[in-house]
């Protein structure tokens, strides 16, 4: 039987490991930034060999890899060489499902600095991002092309995890026209068009984002167009379906109302709105939406929402939820019509 003292010691050790969680993030960012996983694609290497290839200090790199191996990211063999694991494979560039760009985004100062001041955000009720960078998140991206490109690539990497699930979870009728509002590089629209070969779509975002679109592909040829603008002001009018994927969670309730009202103004009376976001479940069980919610709070002044919170904000904007469709991914599809 474990003594009360033993239980306390175990809990203390677990809590201490949690407290050091920022080291895990820093270690992942370090190996991703320097392309370590790509250098292991041909087989195991020693820290010294990896140091030569990356320009890093071999012994220090070895210690980082040893630490990551305790989390099943890389694996150390009896000869002190390190190899890829299934998780480490996802840190490689140009592989299906790669999260390399996403990890580069999350480990950058763009996220690292405001998250490091989460204690201030909880005290003040607003992100520290504006104070750190001199402007809110998306306004900052407009003045920093490198940060904007980093963000576009990083969000596209995460988008790959969900786009096909979302596209296959909603049945778009033949002949439907779809507008992907704030659709970034077009990952979701491309998946939707590929899954539904008899519909057409428009990718709508800022001109600088549209310029990096990924809609060139034979499976969607001739069925897409692009339009640029500000979704706080207007959207392309008169279409059947309007997609808002990972948009509302970036913004406060006040700003979400502005977006929703602009979309509503562009819709026909029979158009449908599809909000694609996580829906936070009740209870204490782990759910990734609860993790992401804190990130949204710290960096964007945004939030993930419960079903009740979605109902409240959509009602205020003049919509009525008709159904909520879960998908095999974290996302749900919230279908709404003009009330």
């Amino acid at each position: 039987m474990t003594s009360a003292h033993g239980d306390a010691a175990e809990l203390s050790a677990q809590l201490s490991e949690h407290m050091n969680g920022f080291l895990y993030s820093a270690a992942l960012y370090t190996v991703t930034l320097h392309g370590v996983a790509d250098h292991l694609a041909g087989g195991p290497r020693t820290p010294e060999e990896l140091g030569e290839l990356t320009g890093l200090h071999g012994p220090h790199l070895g210690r980082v890899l040893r630490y990551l191996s305790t989390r099943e990211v890389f694996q150390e063999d009896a000869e002190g060489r390190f190899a890829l694991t299934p998780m480490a494979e996802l840190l490689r560039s140009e592989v299906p499902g790669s999260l390399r760009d996403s990890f580069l985004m999350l480990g950058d100062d763009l996220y690292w600095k405001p998250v490091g001041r989460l204690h201030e955000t909880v005290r003040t009720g607003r992100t520290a991002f504006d104070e750190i960078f001199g402007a809110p998140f998306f306004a900052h991206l407009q003045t920093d092309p490198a940060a904007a490109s980093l963000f576009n690539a990083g969000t596209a990497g995460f988008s790959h995890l969900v786009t096909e699930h979302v596209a296959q979870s909603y049945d778009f009728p033949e002949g439907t026209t779809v507008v992907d509002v704030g659709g970034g590089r077009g990952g979701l629209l491309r998946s939707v068009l590929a899954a539904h070969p008899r519909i057409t779509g428009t990718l709508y975002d800022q001109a600088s984002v549209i310029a990096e679109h990924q809609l060139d592909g034979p499976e969607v040829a001739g069925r897409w167009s692009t339009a640029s603008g500000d979704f706080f002001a207007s959207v392309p009018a008169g279409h059947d379906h309007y997609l808002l994927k990972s948009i509302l969670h970036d913004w406060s309730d006040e700003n979400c109302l502005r977006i929703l009202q602009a979309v509503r103004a562009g819709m026909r009376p029979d158009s449908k709105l599809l909000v694609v976001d996580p829906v936070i479940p009740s209870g204490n069980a782990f759910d990734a939406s609860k993790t992401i919610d804190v990130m949204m709070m710290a960096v964007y002044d945004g939030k993930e929402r419960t079903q009740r919170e979605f109902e409240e904000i959509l009602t205020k904007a003049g919509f009525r939820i008709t159904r909520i469709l879960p998908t095999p991914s974290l996302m749900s599809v919230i279908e709404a019509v003009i009330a």
Side-chain angles (χ1 to χ4, degrees), residues 140-169:
H140 173 70
L141 294 190
Q142 292 179 1
T143 64
D144 188 336
S149 184
L150 182 74
F151 173 76
N152 292 336
T155 53
F158 280 132
S159 184
H160 290 158
L161 300 174
V162 304
T163 53
E164 290 188 9
H165 291 311
V166 171
Q168 294 169 4
S169 294

Side-chain angles (χ1 to χ4, degrees), residues 12-270:
S12 178
Q14 291 177 2
L15 192 58
S16 296
E17 185 64 18
H18 292 325
M19 184 65 75
N20 285 322
F22 68 102
L23 291 173
Y24 184 37
S25 298
L28 283 171
Y29 178 69
T30 297
V31 298
T32 304
L33 180 65
H34 294 287
V36 171
D38 283 329
H39 289 297
L40 291 174
R45 295 184 186 272
T46 66
E48 290 71 22
E49 290 171 331
L50 289 169
E52 288 289 331
L53 292 168
T54 60
L56 301 176
H57 185 267
H60 277 43
L61 175 58
R63 291 160 68 182
V64 170
L65 292 172
R66 179 176 61 191
Y67 167 55
L68 290 174
S69 294
T70 68
R71 305 291 188 96
E72 298 184 9
V73 184
F74 305 105
Q75 184 176 51
E76 184 178 11
D77 65 21
E79 286 74 42
R81 300 177 304 169
F82 289 91
L84 294 173
T85 61
M87 276 202 289
E89 286 278 355
L90 298 179
L91 298 180
R92 292 176 56 196
S93 57
E94 307 300 328
V95 297
S98 172
L99 291 175
R100 177 183 179 275
D101 289 338
S102 301
F103 279 38
L104 290 178
M105 176 186 74
L106 292 180
D108 188 78
D109 284 349
L110 203 63
Y111 286 79
W112 189 266
K113 285 187 175 181
V115 169
R117 290 168 64 171
L118 178 61
H119 58 287
E120 293 182 20
T121 293
V122 175
R123 178 176 59 82
T124 64
R126 59 181 182 273
T127 176
F129 189 97
D130 306 29
E131 181 181 337
I132 296 167
F133 292 97
F137 187 89
F138 291 104
H140 173 70
L141 294 190
Q142 292 179 1
T143 64
D144 188 336
S149 184
L150 182 74
F151 173 76
N152 292 336
T155 53
F158 280 132
S159 184
H160 290 158
L161 300 174
V162 304
T163 53
E164 290 188 9
H165 291 311
V166 171
Q168 294 169 4
S169 294
Y170 189 88
D171 187 17
F172 292 90
E174 290 188 10
T176 289
T177 60
V178 178
V179 180
D180 191 358
V181 179
R185 293 181 170 184
L188 175 59
L189 183 59
R190 181 169 178 164
S191 291
V192 167
L193 295 180
H196 303 275
R198 298 186 183 276
I199 70 173
T200 58
T202 299
L203 179 64
Y204 181 67
D205 212 312
Q206 296 178 352
S208 59
V209 180
I210 293 293
E212 299 181 359
H213 78 77
Q214 299 175 338
L215 291 171
D216 293 316
E219 75 278 14
V220 299
R223 294 192 289 122
W224 60 269
S225 62
T226 63
S228 61
D230 178 1
F231 58 43
F232 283 110
S234 65
V235 300
H239 293 270
D240 297 308
H241 289 81
Y242 288 81
L243 291 169
L244 284 174
K245 175 189 165 291
S246 300
I247 300 298
L248 298 187
H249 79 159
D250 287 338
W251 302 96
S252 65
D253 287 351
E254 179 182 3
N255 282 322
C256 281
L257 283 174
R258 293 173 57 203
I259 296 168
L260 289 168
Q261 287 164 354
V263 173
R264 188 178 186 278
M267 293 172 64
R268 302 192 314 260
D270 61 340

Side-chain angles (χ1 to χ4, degrees), residues 279-296:
V279 177
I280 296 179
S282 59
N284 297 314
F286 169 79
D287 190 88
S289 63
K290 300 174 184 179
T291 304
I292 300 170
D293 178 51
V294 178
M295 175 72 78
M296 307 313 293

